[in-house]
Amino acid sequence: MQIRSDILRIYQKVHLWTGITAGILLFICFFAGALTMFKPQLSAWASPPSHVLPQIPTAQADRLLQLALAQHPEIAKGFTLHLNDDMYAPLTWYSRGGGRRLNLDTQQWQATLDENGQLLTQQVQPSQLGLLIDLLHRTAGIPHTRLGISVMGVASVLYFMALVSGVIFLLPTLVKTLFALRQKKGPSRFWLDSHNLLGITALPFHIVIAVTVVVFAFHDVFYDALGKFVYDNPPDIMRGAPLAQPLNISHLPPLSEIIATANQHAPGHEARSLMFIGLDTPRPVARIEMYSEQALMRGPLADFLFMQPYSLATQFSTFSPTEGGTWGRIVATFFGLHFGSFGGMPGRWLYFFMGLSGAMLFYSGNLLWLEKRRQQQKGLNYHNNRAKYA
């Protein structure tokens, strides 16, 4: 394919400077992103075995909640129930910290039942390793989380420009050099061939990552704009209409009924954990993680079902074909492709290696730039010395 040399030089410069500007940040995010594919496993590995109380049959969840509530009334504000997951205790709630913020002072209570059906509780400081890796993935280590996410949004725009310009620059020699790893022509040529091969073979993956990161970084701006120019007073679909009068945990239906209702919402999905938030407020919500190995899930580890915990009315879900229409399914598909939340464990291993290959792409690009700068500096010193002694 013939492209004018002056146009190629322009795209080469665009590729060079966009790649260098964002390369270090993207290397950190891709390396950490590969590790986030096993975020729960890493957190469990970093926690002493004694920090996780044993699981119980789902049928005993209601008894567990009643006994725990009698000793710890603060559970009435909110708690999380984990179902058949040995990496978590059956019932957990935070006395300090929690959420997605890194907090070394986080304190968590856990509860389970012993062999005789009696309550066992303990207070632990949960491992922050998984949260730390996730934070590095989202912010590249920039201390202020919101600023870091915004910076990564800008870096992803540069990342997309580097992808497009790199492909255009490579087009004239694509067929001849794509699978050529020319080791005999020196380390620089080998790294260049490896860089090109990693970029072209995983191009669809990189395009999806670049586009979705921009959406993640600036979704508040997008939603605010839609709310102002497209919708009139858009509803809070994940919290629903406020209650006329706040209820309390005594009005909560049996957990077994909530779990059964959630499982009936989407055949093929199974409730994995239930997080109850704001049970004593006008806007209570149950956020239920729904898992399926056959589905392309929207979240990093599962789909989500939001229910009104007292009436069991569905407020929002990320997996129903009717939720959000065609556009909603497109968004959910992009999210699932970003997180690699499909295909079970083989899919997670695939994304783990894809993330590492992405980190290697930016590492090799920066290595090539440094080597080129070194050669240029060497040539400049050589000519300066010749001029000095001429």
Side-chain angles (χ1 to χ4, degrees):
M1 182 175 181
Q2 294 294 325
I3 301 178
R4 284 168 37 191
S5 59
D6 57 330
I7 295 178
L8 285 178
R9 283 194 294 271
I10 292 174
Y11 280 108
Q12 183 185 25
K13 289 182 179 179
V14 171
H15 180 75
L16 174 66
W17 290 110
T18 52
I20 291 302
T21 303
I24 297 298
L25 296 175
L26 291 168
F27 171 81
I28 296 172
C29 289
F30 265 80
F31 189 81
L35 296 179
T36 59
M37 301 311 299
F38 302 102
K39 176 182 171 182
Q41 290 83 353
L42 287 170
S43 294
W45 169 77
S47 301
S50 60
H51 276 201
V52 181
L53 296 177
Q55 276 287 334
I56 60 172
T58 303
Q60 297 181 356
D62 289 297
R63 173 174 170 79
L64 171 61
L65 178 60
Q66 293 171 3
L67 293 177
L69 183 62
Q71 290 192 16
H72 299 272
E74 67 272 16
I75 295 177
K77 297 181 179 180
F79 60 91
T80 301
L81 181 70
H82 299 279
L83 305 176
N84 303 318
D85 192 339
D86 292 334
M87 290 186 293
Y88 300 97
L91 183 66
T92 63
W93 66 97
Y94 288 96
S95 57
R96 185 167 62 233
R100 296 185 72 183
R101 293 181 178 274
L102 187 67
N103 186 351
L104 298 179
D105 293 328
T106 296
Q107 295 293 334
Q108 182 188 69
W109 279 93
Q110 301 179 352
T112 190
L113 299 176
D114 63 15
E115 296 84 352
N116 300 317
Q118 299 303 309
L119 181 68
L120 290 177
T121 62
Q122 68 175 0
Q123 188 177 29
V124 299
Q125 187 172 18
S127 170
Q128 300 291 295
L129 178 60
L131 280 175
L132 175 61
I133 293 172
D134 182 55
L135 193 63
L136 287 173
H137 172 57
R138 293 186 292 128
T139 67
I142 296 173
H144 191 282
T145 303
R146 184 66 256 174
L147 175 62
I149 293 173
S150 298
V151 169
M152 289 315 304
V154 175
S156 292
V157 175
L158 298 176
Y159 168 30
F160 184 81
M161 293 172 61
L163 290 173
V164 174
S165 57
V167 170
I168 294 175
F169 176 67
L170 194 60
L171 279 178
T173 59
L174 180 61
V175 175
K176 181 188 296 185
T177 64
L178 178 57
F179 293 103
L181 297 176
R182 293 162 285 189
Q183 302 182 45
K184 295 182 179 180
K185 293 192 175 183
S188 294
R189 176 59 63 180
F190 174 76
W191 280 111
L192 178 60
D193 291 339
S194 301
H195 179 80
N196 294 339
L197 181 63
L198 288 171
I200 292 296
T201 54
L203 185 61
F205 169 78
H206 287 288
I207 290 175
V208 168
I209 297 299
V211 172
T212 50
V213 170
V214 173
V215 175
F216 293 155
F218 303 116
H219 69 277
D220 286 343
V221 177
F222 297 151
Y223 292 160
D224 289 345
L226 288 172
K228 185 174 183 180
F229 298 108
V230 179
Y231 304 108
D232 293 326
N233 300 319
D236 188 349
I237 57 175
M238 287 184 287
R239 298 305 295 269
L243 298 174
Q245 183 176 357
L247 301 176
N248 57 57
I249 198 170
S250 64
H251 297 90
L252 195 69
L255 294 175
S256 56
E257 182 181 347
I258 299 175
I259 295 169
T261 303
N263 288 336
Q264 292 171 4
H265 186 82
H269 284 74
E270 184 179 9
R272 173 172 280 185
S273 72
L274 298 84
M275 177 183 290
F276 295 87
I277 306 169
L279 292 176
D280 58 347
T281 70
R283 288 182 178 271
V285 64
R287 193 195 76 165
I288 306 173
E289 289 190 354
M290 306 291 293
Y291 182 77
S292 171
E293 286 196 1
Q294 286 72 43
L296 180 66
M297 297 177 290
R298 178 168 173 172
L301 300 171
D303 269 309
F304 295 101
L305 171 64
F306 291 83
M307 298 174 60
Q308 212 280 15
Y310 297 112
S311 67
L312 302 187
T314 299
Q315 297 174 342
F316 177 73
S317 73
T318 62
F319 48 82
S320 173
T322 59
E323 295 285 353
T326 303
W327 177 246
R329 291 310 304 160
I330 293 174
V331 171
T333 300
F334 265 86
F335 279 26
L337 289 173
H338 179 95
F339 293 128
S341 50
F342 58 92
M345 193 55 69
R348 306 201 73 77
W349 276 108
L350 173 64
Y351 264 62
F352 172 76
F353 288 114
M354 293 285 281
L356 292 183
S357 73
M360 182 58 69
L361 176 69
F362 304 115
Y363 173 80
S364 59
N366 281 270
L367 194 67
L368 288 167
W369 180 76
L370 290 172
E371 179 61 21
K372 185 176 180 179
R373 295 279 294 179
R374 189 183 70 83
Q375 294 292 343
Q376 289 176 344
Q377 187 63 42
K378 183 178 178 180
L380 181 62
N381 291 338
Y382 173 76
H383 288 296
N384 288 341
N385 289 334
R386 288 195 61 182
K388 180 178 179 180
Y389 294 105

